[in-house]
Amino acid sequence: MDIPFEPVIFGVKMNIHLVLEYAAFFIGYRYYVYVKRKNGDTIASTNRLSIIIGAVFGAFFGSRIVGFLENPVFSSFSVEYFVQLLHAKTIMGGLFGGLLGVELAKKIISEEQSSGDLFTFPIILGIIIGRIGCFLAGVKEFTYGKQTTSFLGVDLGDGIMRYPIALFEVVFLILLWIVLKHNQDKIRLKSGLLFKYFMISYFSFRFLVEFLKPNTFLLLGVSSIQYLCILCLVYYHKTIRKLFYAD
């Protein structure tokens, strides 16, 4: 199989990354509905809807803002430039923006219960599907790594052996799923901790793996995504402290 993988179906070349991106949203949502039906929800339906709306708007703006900050290029304001801004997006900004959107929505509706646990595994599943699409898109999506001569190198479509960052992420998320599922079933985590552990683990991983990406916009040797990772870890500093300094 060649990368980028662009299958032709009924004479039409398919954008496999876009197809899997939409599939990630659809399957992730359907899995969320399944998890909610199976485990129940202590939050009222109207409040849960408000939380989802907050998450959607927060994720939309967060993904675009951080996507732009990955490589902030200012140009003359035109239709083409505006379209480019809309297409600039990143899952990291979406996750953190969604988190802030949820917290804002909860304050508005005075909802005090933790709301993230139901989203945890559907989010992980969606990211896994999306990252498979990123890998198949090769160098057409900025999820590829630096050039390498190690056995981990993969030709992603430009004739250069690179770190397959998207595949690294898929493997990490599968392992994270297993660990979180074990903790959920055996340890019976306090409400809200499942989502917090996911965010802490995923943002820590992304901070480290960013060093393997050929980022061009750096401040003090650190990328915009890494600054966001640091911000997220600071946000969860109380949870991280309890992990290492349990009472």
Side-chain angles (χ1 to χ4, degrees):
M1 180 180 68
D2 294 329
I3 298 178
F5 179 57
E6 299 175 315
V8 177
I9 301 178
F10 299 117
V12 178
K13 183 183 291 186
M14 303 296 294
N15 184 335
I16 196 66
H17 176 260
L18 187 62
V19 171
L20 289 179
E21 188 174 279
Y22 286 134
F25 285 111
F26 177 76
I27 296 174
Y29 175 73
R30 295 309 306 171
Y31 187 56
Y32 159 77
V33 172
Y34 166 78
V35 171
K36 181 181 177 182
R37 186 183 300 117
K38 178 183 177 182
N39 299 333
D41 191 357
T42 58
I43 296 177
S45 297
T46 53
N47 283 4
R48 177 62 72 177
L49 178 60
S50 297
I51 289 170
I52 292 175
I53 292 173
V56 169
F57 278 95
F60 177 83
F61 289 108
S63 66
R64 266 61 185 182
I65 292 171
V66 178
F68 170 74
L69 291 177
E70 273 197 287
N71 187 22
V73 177
F74 296 93
S75 179
S76 58
F77 287 94
S78 61
V79 174
E80 291 78 9
Y81 180 64
F82 183 71
V83 171
Q84 287 180 345
L85 289 180
L86 288 178
H87 281 281
K89 58 185 183 295
T90 171
I91 184 62
M92 305 300 289
L95 283 173
F96 196 71
L99 170 65
L100 298 182
V102 165
E103 294 304 320
L104 177 60
K106 287 170 65 176
K107 285 189 178 296
I108 293 174
I109 63 178
S110 300
E111 177 61 66
E112 297 182 355
Q113 296 188 72
S114 297
S115 59
D117 287 354
L118 280 178
F119 296 121
T120 302
F121 292 115
I123 287 175
I124 295 176
L125 178 59
I127 297 176
I128 289 174
I129 295 172
R131 285 308 186 218
I132 293 173
C134 290
F135 171 72
L136 294 177
V139 292
K140 290 188 175 183
E141 287 293 322
F142 188 53
T143 52
Y144 55 85
K146 295 179 179 178
Q147 182 175 354
T148 180
T149 57
S150 75
F151 72 96
L152 296 172
V154 175
D155 181 357
L156 296 175
D158 61 353
I160 299 174
M161 303 301 286
R162 298 179 179 276
Y163 289 112
I165 301 297
L167 284 188
F168 293 169
E169 195 166 327
V170 168
V171 172
F172 171 80
L173 288 170
I174 291 173
L175 294 176
L176 180 60
W177 182 306
I178 294 171
V179 172
L180 291 178
K181 189 63 177 174
H182 171 78
N183 288 336
Q184 183 186 45
D185 294 340
K186 304 298 182 182
I187 303 176
R188 298 189 180 279
L189 296 173
K190 180 181 177 182
S191 178
L193 280 181
L194 188 71
F195 182 75
K196 291 178 181 178
Y197 287 166
F198 158 67
M199 291 289 283
I200 292 168
S201 301
Y202 184 57
F203 276 70
S204 297
F205 167 80
R206 284 300 303 267
F207 178 84
L208 295 174
V209 84
E210 280 291 305
F211 288 111
L212 299 180
K213 290 179 64 178
N215 293 297
T216 57
F217 181 77
L218 300 172
L219 290 174
L220 302 178
V222 179
S223 71
S224 302
I225 293 294
Q226 288 173 310
Y227 280 111
L228 179 64
C229 292
I230 294 171
L231 180 61
C232 180
L233 297 178
V234 171
Y235 182 87
Y236 284 121
H237 73 278
K238 292 183 180 179
T239 302
I240 295 173
R241 182 177 178 81
K242 289 181 180 178
L243 279 172
F244 292 98
Y245 302 99
D247 295 333

